[in-house]
Amino acid sequence: MKDVYLLSGFLGSGKTSLLTDVIRQFKEQGLKPAVIMNELGKLAFDSQAVEEDVPLKEMLEGCICCTGAEKTEAQIQSLLFDQQFDVLLIETTGAAHPVEALDAVFSPIFAEQLNIKGIVTVADSKLWLNRATLSPQARSLFMEQIRHAHVLLANKIDLLTEEEQAQVVYELQSFNPRAVLLQTTNGRVPIKFLQQMQSMVQPTKESIVSAKIGESFNLGSRLIQFTQSFSEEEFEAWVRSLPETIYRMKGYVPITGVRNPMLFQYAYGMVQWLPEYIKMEPKLVIIGENIANIQVIGEE
């Protein structure tokens, strides 16, 4: 399996500086990284920071999430098919919500080939102190990116006084107590620290393994393998029984009387069923908070 790191953070926070430094450190370890970069505009600008020997896929106009999830899946499949690499780094646009970005990365098609290590969010420390100046929508996104981080980098810490540094650390730790917090300059973090992150993928309750970093992460994923079929009605009844902290589900569900497992998608309380003309593996990826103990349909 290939490790995957999702780099999140608000516009101008220092994600590209983090990306280039992480690439350098992986290469020094003898590992070959691949990169998917997401940008809001039509021209690839940040991607110029990635060296030519690193496999790169670009997602322009902010399409890594929401309606562009299928495009991201295609890019990942393309990398897996025709590129040799050891680790995948995905840099999201500063306007991407972490859950939306995760939705684009998790696919039942290649779920067993990727080991999602988690979300590394770069937070501009000075912007945190001045967040009241942001519009309500921008401030909400800024806070959400921080709230869902597994590792949180208080970046540009060198621009603050000692008193301001202490305030930022205290407030960020209080806002997201589950994340491991690092104070950074130019987005630099030891790669071995990131490699200790716990995998977000939890195939079964029995296989959850604790790790030095992140044994209490609230945002995670779970891969379900179905061994029986259901009616659409009973499957949707199970979906309605799930807590509101389940944000996304995507996969192929075996339906009684239907030849191939149907493509099922769930987001914000809405469900969608689509017929599938190829026999896909009956698997479902669930993304949400505190999902380890939810009762899965069909399980005793």
Side-chain angles (χ1 to χ4, degrees):
M1 294 182 72
K2 302 179 189 300
D3 287 346
V4 181
Y5 298 86
L6 198 147
L7 310 184
S8 174
F10 204 65
L11 300 162
S13 60
K15 291 190 305 299
T16 302
S17 297
L18 169 66
L19 175 66
T20 53
D21 191 57
V22 166
I23 288 173
R24 174 188 62 81
Q25 293 185 69
F26 274 125
K27 292 170 77 170
E28 287 177 355
Q29 286 187 349
L31 299 173
K32 184 173 184 179
V35 174
I36 291 179
M37 296 188 77
N38 179 216
E39 302 186 45
L40 282 171
K42 293 185 178 181
L43 296 177
F45 176 74
D46 285 349
S47 59
Q48 297 172 13
V50 179
E51 298 176 12
E52 291 183 1
D53 63 334
V54 176
L56 171 68
K57 297 290 183 181
E58 296 168 276
M59 309 291 295
L60 299 181
E61 298 193 83
C63 62
I64 197 169
C65 53
C66 306
T67 58
E70 292 79 11
K71 295 180 182 178
T72 306
E73 290 183 15
Q75 297 286 43
I76 294 174
Q77 279 188 282
S78 175
L79 282 172
L80 290 169
F81 180 76
D82 59 26
Q83 296 287 347
Q84 293 294 321
F85 64 95
D86 302 303
V87 60
L88 177 59
L89 305 168
I90 300 177
E91 180 189 337
T92 69
T93 172
H97 189 289
V99 175
E100 302 280 3
L102 276 178
D103 181 48
V105 177
F106 281 108
S107 169
I109 297 174
F110 44 71
E112 292 169 321
Q113 295 177 259
L114 300 178
N115 179 37
I116 315 297
K117 297 286 278 186
I119 299 170
V120 182
T121 295
V122 186
D124 183 327
S125 298
K126 203 158 189 73
L127 182 60
W128 171 263
L129 294 176
N130 299 315
R131 61 191 182 279
T133 62
L134 296 170
S135 69
Q137 295 87 348
R139 184 167 63 250
S140 175
L141 175 61
F142 180 53
M143 305 282 277
E144 282 291 284
Q145 291 171 338
I146 292 170
R147 185 171 79 87
H148 287 296
H150 298 133
V151 169
L152 182 57
L153 306 184
N155 199 32
K156 305 182 183 180
I157 203 74
D158 55 312
L159 302 181
L160 305 183
T161 66
E162 287 189 11
E163 183 179 348
E164 288 174 329
Q165 290 178 13
Q167 180 183 348
V168 166
V169 169
Y170 174 77
E171 291 180 353
L172 288 177
Q173 284 183 329
S174 299
F175 187 67
N176 183 352
R178 296 181 178 87
V180 177
L181 177 66
L182 289 179
Q183 299 178 62
T184 58
T185 302
N186 297 323
R188 294 191 173 182
V189 58
I191 197 65
K192 289 186 177 180
F193 185 88
L194 298 185
Q195 289 172 322
Q196 292 175 9
M197 292 172 66
Q198 177 184 344
S199 170
M200 286 184 63
V201 180
Q202 300 174 348
T204 65
K205 285 191 289 187
E206 292 73 22
S207 65
I208 297 173
V209 179
S210 62
K212 293 180 182 178
I213 297 177
E215 52 189 43
S216 61
F217 286 163
N218 56 341
L219 182 65
S221 74
R222 191 167 170 189
L223 177 63
I224 305 300
Q225 180 95 35
F226 296 114
T227 57
Q228 65 185 84
S229 60
F230 315 93
S231 69
E232 287 187 29
E233 291 74 17
E234 63 182 335
F235 194 83
E236 289 189 23
W238 169 70
V239 171
R240 288 193 296 271
S241 74
L242 296 174
E244 293 181 357
T245 51
I246 300 301
Y247 302 130
R248 292 286 191 275
M249 286 186 280
K250 179 169 54 179
Y252 300 93
V253 180
I255 297 299
T256 304
V258 178
R259 181 175 180 178
N260 296 321
M262 292 185 68
L263 174 61
F264 174 82
Q265 299 194 66
Y266 168 91
Y268 298 118
M270 303 293 290
V271 301
Q272 181 185 44
W273 295 95
L274 292 172
E276 182 57 58
Y277 302 103
I278 302 174
K279 188 172 180 61
M280 304 298 291
E281 285 287 318
K283 299 175 184 175
L284 182 74
V285 173
I286 304 174
I287 301 172
E289 297 183 35
N290 305 315
I291 61 174
N293 296 316
I294 63 171
Q295 183 69 40
V296 175
I297 186 171
E299 287 186 354
E300 293 297 329

